[in-house]
Amino acid sequence: MASTADFKNGLCLEMNNDIYSIVEFQHVKPGKGAAFVRTKLKSLRSGKTLDKTFNAGEKVTTARVEKRPFQFLYADDMGYNFMNIETFEQISLEERLIERPKLLKDGQIVDILIHDETETPLSVELPPFVELMITYTEPGVKGDTATNALKPAILETGATVMVPLFVEQDIMIRVDTRDGSYSERVK
């Protein structure tokens, strides 16, 4: 059990026969009335988000969740296959458990959240940034724009990312996995 004072981003709660992770929270103390905590929760089983308000000091049940390092092996028609780095056991996961599956590269290390009591995988967390090669993009023309313009680029994994005009084909770039956007060129 935990109270609303223990809330932090990433804390996992058990509610309504589901496990939720706190995406963001805000403690509100209005001038009149009792304090409360507004939260944005994400279901680890379905991926849906919901807004919930708790009274300050309210007790909630925390879920015991563990992050374990896995290596992405390959994707096939059965799902995405990962290998536990410590025990070398392999598991296959559905695409819905992965936030941005198009950014997964063979051999990449990811963290998989696993429910301790049932040993079931809940979600796959990619590292904050991944380095990928651009396989195709249109050549950028100088003097084409007045402001910073973007063009589509296809990456080695098949994902499409918008990049600045100066980025060319066969260049390694760093992609932000949280929103799937271009971050910078890799030196």
Side-chain angles (χ1 to χ4, degrees), residues 20-167:
Y20 293 92
S21 174
I22 296 177
V23 177
E24 59 185 54
F25 70 98
Q26 180 182 21
H27 191 276
V28 180
K29 186 167 184 337
K32 191 176 190 182
F36 58 92
V37 179
R38 267 195 208 110
T39 60
K40 188 175 197 176
L41 305 171
K42 180 178 180 186
S43 169
L44 295 179
R45 291 199 175 118
S46 66
K48 295 178 182 169
T49 58
L50 74 115
D51 296 318
K52 180 145 175 66
T53 303
F54 296 93
N55 292 326
E58 187 176 328
K59 298 281 186 204
V60 291
T61 307
T62 56
R64 294 192 45 200
V65 174
E66 192 177 303
K67 273 187 191 177
R68 296 186 190 155
F70 278 78
Q71 181 179 17
F72 174 63
L73 299 175
Y74 59 92
D76 58 14
D77 54 344
M78 299 298 290
Y80 289 77
N81 296 283
F82 297 88
M83 177 182 68
N84 188 324
I85 293 176
E86 295 150 4
T87 63
F88 301 109
E89 73 177 89
Q90 292 186 17
I91 59 171
S92 181
L93 299 177
E94 301 171 22
E95 186 174 339
R96 69 175 178 79
L97 294 177
I98 307 166
E99 188 76 35
R100 298 193 189 290
K102 285 276 196 187
L103 297 178
L104 272 174
K105 186 172 156 182
D106 292 355
Q108 186 172 357
I109 305 296
V110 297
D111 286 329
I112 296 183
L113 268 86
I114 296 180
H115 190 249
D116 267 0
E117 293 156 22
T118 59
E119 286 294 318
T120 55
L122 299 170
S123 69
V124 177
E125 287 186 1
L126 275 69
F129 296 95
V130 291
E131 294 178 359
L132 297 168
M133 177 77 72
I134 295 177
T135 56
Y136 176 76
T137 186
E138 297 286 335
V141 181
K142 269 194 171 168
D144 220 2
T145 63
T147 61
N148 57 344
L150 301 174
K151 62 182 180 179
I154 299 172
L155 305 176
E156 62 185 291
T157 59
T160 303
V161 174
M162 298 302 285
V163 298
L165 291 176
F166 62 81
V167 176

